[in-house]
């Protein structure tokens, strides 16, 4: 690999890292249910009820989705292209995850094929 090619790869990586998570400007910090926020504070999860939402993705006890790209932004609603996994299933899927900010009522997350998850409140 030439020195110029190596420099181009480093520049591209820097641009990708600078872009940050797909939902960074919408979700600052961690949001969760009571069990999820307790897990954030303790640094581990130990209950089937665990749910945490961050700018990087949404995580439950046995599944989760990593946000890859924001597709649309409407007031209070984000549609995010995501890579999802579920415990007991092989591989990952690509899904569009919907995150809705209902202000005082918290955030609500919809992953295709699952019931809406929420309310998720700030863990701070």
């Amino acid at each position: 690999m030439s020195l110029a090619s190596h420099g181009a790869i480093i520049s591209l990586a820097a641009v990708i890292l600078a872009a940050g998570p797909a939902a960074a400007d919408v979700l600052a910090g961690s949001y969760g249910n009571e069990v999820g926020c307790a897990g954030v504070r303790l640094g581990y999860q130990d209950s089937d009820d665990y749910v945490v939402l961050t700018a990087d993705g949404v995580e439950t006890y046995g599944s989760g989705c990593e946000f890859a790209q924001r597709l649309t932004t409407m007031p209070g609603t984000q549609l995010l292209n995501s890579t999802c996994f579920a415990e007991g299933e092989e591989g990952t899927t690509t899904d569009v995850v919907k995150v809705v900010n209902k202000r005082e009522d918290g955030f609500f997350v919809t992953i295709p094929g699952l019931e809406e998850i929420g309310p998720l409140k700030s863990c701070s």
Side-chain angles (χ1 to χ4, degrees):
M1 176 182 295
S2 73
L3 189 53
S5 296
H6 185 68
I9 291 171
I10 290 172
S11 295
L12 178 60
V15 168
I16 291 170
L17 289 174
D25 61 336
V26 179
L27 292 165
S30 299
Y31 298 81
N33 58 7
E34 188 176 324
V35 173
C37 287
V40 167
R41 287 188 288 279
L42 295 172
Y44 64 90
Q45 53 179 310
D46 66 351
S47 170
D48 290 344
D49 295 329
Y50 176 92
V51 180
V52 172
L53 172 67
T54 67
D56 293 319
V58 61
E59 181 181 2
T60 69
Y61 186 73
S63 63
C65 294
E66 183 178 322
F67 301 147
Q69 175 187 22
R70 186 171 23 186
L71 301 175
T72 62
T73 302
M74 298 171 278
T77 302
Q78 309 297 310
L79 297 178
L80 300 139
N81 196 29
S82 307
T83 302
C84 301
F85 67 92
E87 184 178 7
E89 295 184 20
E90 286 189 36
T92 60
T93 60
T94 301
D95 292 308
V96 175
V97 174
K98 180 179 177 182
V99 178
V100 178
N101 182 355
K102 295 186 180 179
R103 305 208 185 278
E104 296 82 31
D105 292 333
F107 284 91
F108 291 79
V109 178
T110 304
I111 300 169
L114 299 176
E115 291 183 25
E116 181 179 67
I117 302 167
L120 306 175
K121 304 276 186 147
S122 176
C123 292
S124 58

